[in-house]
Amino acid sequence: MKRNYEDEGETLTSHHTRKTLKDGLSESRVEHVDNRITVNSWWTGAAKDGQEPLSYNHMMLLAQSITIHHRNPENEDAGIRAETVLEDRTPVVAIQVLAELLSTQNDDGTWGSNDSTEETTRYAVLALLELASLPYAATLKTEIQNAISKGHEALSIRKSEVPNGQQSRSLSDIHPNAIDEHLHAEGQRAQAKQTAKIDGFINYFSSLDHIRSIPQFRVKASVLEASLYRPFLKAARGNIFPPTASKDRDKYLDYIPIMWLLAGAHYNVFVPPEYLLDMMILSMWIFLTDEYMESKIVKLSSAELRMFRQHVDELYTTDLKADTSQEPSRSSSQVDSTTTSTSPLLHEAKSVFTTFANHVITYPRVTPASATDLLDLRFETKNYLLHHLDQLSDNARLISQQPQSPPTKRIKFLTPRTTFQTWLHTTAAGHISGPFAWAFFTCCMSSSLRRPSTSTPSSYHHQGKCGDCFSTPRQKLISHTMNAHYGAFCRLYNDYGSVRRDAEEGNLNSINFPEFFPPPSSLPAASSSSSSASAASPSSENKDRDDDDDDEKKAKNLLLEAANWERESALRSAALLYRELEDTEEGKRLADRIKVYVGAGEQFSDMYLTRDVTNSVK
């Protein structure tokens, strides 16, 4: 049957553009490359982590399959099968392929290297023309148009350098206006519109100092791709925690994907969408745990808090002789909340965190991990929840000191259980999930990068599972040191951004510790008569407010100094760890994942200097 391009939504000019490009390609190359690069293989990383580098003709074929599938989801010629890929994965992969094409174009407008530039440039431009038709690519229309124009110019030059009689038809045979016509037509069909939210995020992040080193198209692509992960997070939002009545409406669901994607853009490394989504879900769990603890668990009575602490402790009790891949155990002495008279809130809390424990330990990329990494995850997950309870206890003691609610000035914490530095590296870093998140990450890396193979000794693997994420005691110690500083700086930056919210909600912040208050001897003495006389005047009240603001600024400066020290220490350890891992391809991929992991923490930290994205619960 004759193909009807207009019925498929393709103009004759658009068809001519593609056909002219294809005429210059090797037919054998096109026909004999099967569409093995599916959306699913890109999603998991198999397409780029394989032995053979991903070629531009493969990306062109993948782009074609995506656009065909978009126009006709039932068309099996697209090579996208329902059993191998979820529908929502396709837009994410499309934007990643698009960003890859835009970022790998040479300065002279070509793609590839050496003698392959003309052919690879044709493939790359074809792929861009395909992807330009997608509605969610509209945000990058200008960048796509510029890349195609540069490719057109480069092929024109190449054609002029070929001896007479040896030219093949190329993009240079097309009138330059055809490119604009094609993109305009595709955009009109797709009716793609940049939403105000996406534009707002692009403008906000582009204005931040630490983002300016990232090319603008990568920032736009990251924000655009981030918006495509929100449906995944929203779908998983209610799997563990019940919905809340927060006025902020889970605003962190917009920010979480952006942080992870900007981290990848900063280091210019490829990270599979599957890994990114795993880390985004983990980040969402962390926000939701914090929100549930501060809105629900805080309402439990002292007796109920003791019962809940016992429940958490027993939930993770395990027989070390048993396979640690089992679900969190329930000891024989554990009180079952379904058969004991308890308050509805305590019953709900036990149910929620039993579900949480099972979700963490049975997560698909966690269960195949080594026994050692799983054991660490179980240990750190329990400690994570217990650190939250310690934070609530500290909060309660701080609130009892406040003469009014909310306080009008910074309160010194008079009953700390430890010094500030000890608290920072135990309760504070644990409360913000530093050790827990790292243990989850190492399990995911164990299962994805340390799978058993004939090339690794059997002693490297435990119980027939995957190998440990880090293969030597030295690597494990370096990574542990790095993460200790990582958790500390993440908490300090978080405290910097939430000083006002913490004061309003009665949460213990770093700047409440005595170490952030100057000794009395450093303050100028004031007579009681002058103090009482000035207290009655409005100018004195204004001066008091100014003094309080100045006091807070000084404390925040001390906080930022401490945060920067912890951050520098984390990055030094990270650099050493990268060098330890670069000897193998597996190690290099692991190093790239770690860079994005650390980079995401940096992105969150830098954002907290200007914006607090945590839901308000009070």
Side-chain angles (χ1 to χ4, degrees):
M1 183 176 69
K2 184 177 179 180
R3 186 176 178 184
N4 189 331
Y5 295 103
E6 293 189 2
D7 287 346
E8 293 184 14
E10 183 172 30
T11 64
L12 293 177
T13 302
S14 172
H15 168 60
H16 176 65
T17 302
R18 292 184 175 89
K19 184 177 185 302
T20 305
L21 276 165
K22 290 179 179 178
D23 286 346
L25 297 173
S26 167
E27 289 297 328
S28 60
R29 288 289 300 278
V30 174
E31 291 178 358
H32 289 89
V33 176
D34 64 13
N35 199 1
R36 63 182 178 82
I37 308 301
T38 63
V39 168
N40 202 46
S41 66
W42 185 288
W43 180 269
T44 61
K48 297 201 69 174
D49 286 346
Q51 296 297 320
E52 298 180 8
L54 190 68
S55 61
Y56 287 96
N57 59 323
H58 284 139
M59 281 194 277
M60 183 269 289
L61 291 169
L62 177 55
Q64 286 181 337
S65 72
I66 289 172
T67 53
I68 293 173
H69 181 73
H70 172 73
R71 291 169 182 164
N72 182 8
E74 304 301 321
N75 190 336
E76 294 189 356
D77 291 339
I80 302 175
R81 303 293 189 269
E83 66 269 23
T84 60
V85 62
L86 296 174
E87 188 72 20
D88 288 342
R89 292 182 179 181
T90 306
V92 172
V93 173
I95 297 304
Q96 281 209 352
V97 173
L98 183 53
E100 175 85 1
L101 291 166
L102 293 174
S103 65
T104 55
Q105 187 174 26
N106 299 322
D107 291 339
D108 64 357
T110 62
W111 280 264
S113 58
N114 302 325
D115 297 334
S116 64
T117 53
E118 184 171 355
E119 187 170 84
T120 55
T121 299
R122 294 172 186 274
Y123 283 124
V125 173
L126 275 169
L128 287 174
L129 286 168
E130 293 286 350
L131 296 171
S133 68
L134 299 172
Y136 35 82
T139 299
L140 292 166
K141 177 182 175 181
T142 300
E143 287 75 14
I144 296 172
Q145 195 168 21
N146 291 340
I148 292 175
S149 296
K150 287 176 66 178
H152 165 267
E153 183 179 352
L155 287 173
S156 299
I157 295 173
R158 293 269 170 160
K159 178 183 177 182
S160 66
E161 295 173 350
V162 177
N164 290 335
Q166 296 185 24
Q167 295 106 324
S168 59
R169 293 186 68 196
S170 70
L171 183 61
S172 59
D173 294 326
I174 303 173
H175 193 278
N177 289 340
I179 299 171
D180 291 339
E181 182 182 340
H182 166 73
L183 290 176
H184 177 72
E186 297 288 5
Q188 287 293 103
R189 275 195 306 278
Q191 295 181 345
K193 296 180 179 179
Q194 296 185 27
T195 65
K197 178 183 283 189
I198 290 177
D199 287 344
F201 281 128
I202 290 172
N203 293 333
Y204 167 67
F205 284 102
S206 298
S207 69
L208 301 180
D209 289 339
H210 69 280
I211 297 295
R212 288 175 183 166
S213 62
I214 303 175
Q216 178 67 6
F217 83 88
R218 293 299 299 265
V219 176
K220 293 175 70 172
S222 296
V223 173
L224 176 59
E225 185 183 343
S227 69
L228 301 173
Y229 284 97
R230 200 182 199 284
F232 292 97
L233 297 180
K234 190 173 180 180
R237 165 64 178 84
N239 289 346
I240 301 173
F241 297 93
T244 64
S246 170
K247 61 184 179 182
D248 297 305
R249 297 184 179 180
D250 298 338
K251 60 183 177 183
Y252 45 76
L253 295 186
D254 291 316
Y255 288 91
I256 287 172
I258 297 175
M259 298 299 98
W260 286 96
L261 290 161
L262 285 177
H266 173 75
Y267 286 104
N268 195 29
V269 296
F270 168 76
V271 180
E274 181 176 72
Y275 161 78
L276 290 170
L277 182 57
D278 289 344
M279 296 299 104
M280 291 173 193
I281 288 175
L282 171 65
S283 298
M284 180 178 68
W285 287 347
I286 292 166
F287 273 98
L288 291 172
T289 299
D290 189 64
E291 183 178 301
Y292 191 87
M293 287 283 184
E294 293 185 3
S295 64
K296 296 293 187 71
I297 301 300
V298 70
K299 296 177 181 178
L300 296 176
S301 67
S302 297
E304 289 174 328
L305 280 172
R306 288 194 295 271
M307 294 175 66
F308 182 71
R309 182 180 286 270
Q310 179 186 1
H311 174 78
V312 170
D313 190 62
E314 292 180 340
L315 191 61
Y316 290 93
T317 299
T318 180
D319 181 356
L320 296 181
K321 296 180 181 179
D323 179 2
T324 57
S325 66
Q326 63 186 337
E327 293 185 2
S329 61
R330 297 175 62 89
S331 67
S332 58
S333 62
Q334 183 174 340
V335 178
D336 191 333
S337 61
T338 61
T339 59
T340 304
S341 177
T342 61
S343 70
L345 180 55
L346 178 59
H347 176 82
E348 177 190 285
K350 288 183 175 182
S351 175
V352 165
F353 284 100
T354 298
T355 303
F356 173 81
N358 288 330
H359 266 71
V360 170
I361 209 66
T362 62
Y363 195 77
R365 253 75 62 197
V366 164
T367 52
S370 74
T372 301
D373 289 336
L374 282 168
L375 181 64
D376 190 44
L377 177 60
R378 295 168 68 88
F379 178 78
E380 294 299 353
T381 308
K382 180 181 79 169
N383 283 344
Y384 170 55
L385 299 180
L386 294 179
H387 285 313
H388 265 283
L389 296 179
D390 290 338
Q391 175 79 35
L392 290 179
S393 176
D394 290 339
N395 293 348
R397 295 201 309 282
L398 179 68
I399 291 173
S400 69
Q401 300 175 196
Q402 295 178 355
Q404 53 186 307
S405 181
T408 57
K409 65 179 184 178
R410 189 163 59 103
I411 301 296
K412 180 190 285 188
F413 190 31
L414 300 178
T415 58
R417 290 175 289 110
T418 66
T419 61
F420 163 71
Q421 61 270 25
T422 300
W423 170 83
L424 174 63
H425 280 273
T426 52
T427 301
H431 169 261
I432 207 166
S433 81
F436 161 62
W438 184 245
F440 185 89
F441 167 85
T442 57
C443 282
C444 290
M445 295 302 97
S446 168
S447 64
S448 62
L449 297 178
R450 303 300 192 187
R451 295 172 182 170
S453 68
T454 55
S455 62
T456 54
S458 57
S459 60
Y460 179 64
H461 304 282
H462 304 276
Q463 302 178 358
K465 292 196 168 192
C466 298
D468 293 349
C469 175
F470 299 104
S471 55
T472 68
R474 174 180 166 86
Q475 289 180 5
K476 293 180 180 183
L477 288 171
I478 295 172
S479 69
H480 179 81
T481 301
M482 180 206 76
N483 192 61
H485 292 297
Y486 171 87
F489 88 68
C490 286
R491 173 57 189 256
L492 292 172
Y493 277 98
N494 183 284
D495 277 4
Y496 186 97
S498 60
V499 165
R500 293 297 172 90
R501 179 175 57 82
D502 284 341
E504 292 171 359
E505 297 182 358
N507 301 323
L508 176 63
N509 189 290
S510 293
I511 66 170
N512 295 122
F513 273 82
E515 288 87 342
F516 288 85
F517 287 81
S521 59
S522 67
L523 296 176
S527 66
S528 58
S529 59
S530 62
S531 297
S532 60
S534 62
S537 66
S539 60
S540 175
E541 294 178 2
N542 292 334
K543 183 178 183 301
D544 287 343
R545 282 196 295 269
D546 291 341
D547 288 344
D548 290 342
D549 290 342
D550 186 57
D551 169 72
E552 182 179 297
K553 288 179 182 177
K554 290 178 179 178
K556 290 180 73 173
N557 286 338
L558 290 174
L559 181 62
L560 195 56
E561 286 179 358
N564 289 338
W565 158 252
E566 293 288 355
R567 183 174 185 169
E568 292 164 5
S569 300
L571 295 180
R572 281 195 296 270
S573 295
L576 179 57
L577 185 59
Y578 302 150
R579 291 195 293 272
E580 289 279 321
L581 296 170
E582 65 184 7
D583 290 342
T584 65
E585 288 302 315
E586 262 187 4
K588 290 177 182 177
R589 288 198 289 274
L590 176 56
D592 284 346
R593 302 318 192 250
I594 296 172
K595 288 176 183 176
V596 174
Y597 179 93
V598 175
E602 289 192 277
Q603 294 295 334
F604 270 112
S605 296
D606 288 331
M607 183 182 65
Y608 276 123
L609 296 177
T610 61
R611 184 173 291 189
D612 181 11
V613 299
T614 304
N615 278 358
S616 177
V617 297
K618 296 179 183 179

